[in-house]
Amino acid sequence: MSRTLVTGGAGFLCSSLCDRLLQDGHDLLCVDNFYTGSKRNIAHLIGNPYFELMRHDVTFPLYVEVDRLFNPACPASPVHYQNDPVQTTKTSVHGAINMLGLAKRRGARIPQASTSEVYGDPEIHPQEESYWGRVNPIGVRSCHDEGKRCAETLCFDYHRQHALDIKVVRIFNPYGPRMQPNDGRVVSNFIVQALRGEDITIYGDGSQTRSFCYVDDLIEAMVRTMETGPEFTGPANIGNPSQFTIRELAEKVVSLVGGRSRLLFQSLPSDDPRQRQPDIALAREALGGWQPTVPLDDGLRHTIAYFRELLHA
């Protein structure tokens, strides 16, 4: 039985990763400082003899016995990562140093969860891994974007210098149940506003595009990444290549919720990317033919049902 560590394990995405790893027979250590994670997301796992929860901040070293570790820990929504930008950068950079150091001591395999934000406001479309990105290094989003870029740098330097078995995946716009209602991400924003009968707030004219990937599809890719051989390091894009404008997303949410919310347009935030779409050819090849299977409408229905229950609990 593999002893596996997941950082940020009580978050929206990684709590589902914890579910999957336990189902697959891992002995699991979940680490979270609960800055953005929620005990509600992993409460159902308490009492499982193969699940252990530790409150810990990855900006501090961690000394545990593990064979494998996933390192996604970092605030991922603008509301959270801009609230304390210095801590956000420290989480990505110091967190990567500490987890890579742990992996080096243990000889452990380490998939690093990076982000599509390393591409910034891209000049090519769709984005492929060979593109170096267009990121503002001093903007309000740079604490997250540059922090993740530095974490990737550290991964590959540990790989070259210490032959560490790394895997880097760049996640594109995940959504699904267990998102926080106040996290500021566009999917949760639109759903919560629609369920409350409020106007839907769109920043800019709504023509900017995103590629939304349902949580189950992303977890499948992350699990497959862990099982690849040492010859595969990435970085690899994992996401859904189907792209939608923000306005199209808002209209879908209003239609599925069935309310009368109107669309309210406001100024576009600084450095907000105009387009986002992954080229997933590398992931499809390296991860055994993996590709997303959940259409946006179906994923939105599941997510709306979750928020409907949460808001009326």
Side-chain angles (χ1 to χ4, degrees):
M1 179 177 289
S2 176
R3 177 68 167 161
T4 303
L5 165 66
V6 176
T7 68
F12 138 64
L13 186 62
C14 290
S15 61
S16 291
L17 177 60
C18 289
D19 287 342
R20 173 62 185 272
L21 293 173
L22 287 169
Q23 291 171 11
D24 290 351
H26 290 251
D27 186 7
L28 187 64
L29 173 60
C30 168
V31 168
D32 206 300
N33 69 349
F34 296 103
Y35 175 62
T36 60
S38 171
K39 290 182 179 179
R40 180 180 61 246
N41 292 338
I42 42 88
H44 62 288
L45 300 177
I46 304 299
N48 185 318
Y50 299 108
F51 176 79
E52 182 180 354
L53 175 62
M54 177 186 295
R55 181 186 288 269
H56 181 80
D57 187 328
V58 295
T59 62
F60 297 95
L62 181 63
Y63 300 96
V64 292
E65 305 300 310
V66 293
D67 309 304
R68 299 178 171 191
L69 62 102
F70 288 89
N71 185 37
C74 184
S77 66
V79 167
H80 291 143
Y81 67 65
Q82 291 176 16
N83 181 57
D84 190 345
V86 172
Q87 183 64 23
T88 296
T89 303
K90 289 172 64 176
T91 300
S92 288
V93 178
H94 291 188
I97 290 171
N98 289 328
M99 293 307 107
L100 289 163
L102 172 60
K104 177 175 175 284
R105 289 192 298 273
R106 292 291 304 156
R109 176 173 293 176
I110 175 169
Q112 167 72 27
S114 190
T115 171
S116 63
E117 299 305 317
V118 300
Y119 297 118
D121 190 6
E123 302 150 301
I124 67 167
H125 194 69
Q127 293 80 59
E128 57 185 30
E129 293 86 354
S130 60
Y131 177 56
W132 291 354
R134 179 172 173 263
V135 175
N136 177 3
I138 60 171
V140 295
R141 300 171 65 101
S142 58
C143 58
H144 180 252
D145 302 357
E146 295 287 26
K148 285 292 191 179
R149 285 164 68 94
C150 185
E152 288 194 16
T153 299
L154 287 162
C155 285
F156 280 91
D157 284 339
Y158 265 81
H159 174 67
R160 287 185 285 259
Q161 187 170 341
H162 303 294
L164 196 63
D165 189 0
I166 66 161
K167 321 282 180 185
V168 175
V169 291
R170 294 171 175 169
I171 297 173
F172 280 68
N173 294 101
Y175 74 100
R178 300 183 189 170
M179 298 179 80
Q180 291 194 34
N182 61 345
D183 69 3
R185 302 191 211 199
V186 65
V187 173
S188 52
N189 274 1
F190 287 178
I191 291 175
V192 169
Q193 288 175 330
L195 288 172
R196 289 173 173 168
E198 301 169 355
D199 290 340
I200 305 297
T201 305
I202 296 178
Y203 296 99
D205 62 6
S207 64
Q208 63 270 41
T209 67
R210 295 293 184 270
S211 300
F212 303 102
C213 193
Y214 190 64
V215 57
D216 290 357
D217 286 328
L218 279 169
I219 295 305
E220 178 65 27
M222 292 174 73
V223 169
R224 291 193 187 195
T225 298
M226 177 63 92
E227 300 307 322
T228 57
E231 70 283 351
F232 176 74
T233 59
N237 295 332
I238 55 174
N240 194 321
S242 298
Q243 67 172 335
F244 297 87
T245 68
I246 297 301
R247 179 164 189 152
E248 286 175 323
L249 174 68
E251 291 170 346
K252 281 181 177 291
V253 168
V254 172
S255 175
L256 291 169
V257 169
R260 298 182 179 180
S261 298
R262 299 174 301 172
L263 305 186
L264 177 65
F265 296 89
Q266 297 187 0
S267 299
L268 192 67
S270 177
D271 299 326
D272 193 65
R274 294 165 296 171
Q275 52 190 4
R276 185 73 81 233
Q277 183 186 22
D279 182 322
I280 63 169
L282 176 58
R284 188 182 293 114
E285 176 184 358
L287 305 182
W290 170 85
Q291 62 182 15
T293 61
V294 180
L296 181 60
D297 283 18
D298 291 348
L300 287 175
R301 289 189 184 95
H302 294 310
T303 310
I304 289 168
Y306 168 79
F307 276 114
R308 195 184 300 274
E309 181 178 355
L310 181 68
L311 295 177
H312 293 88

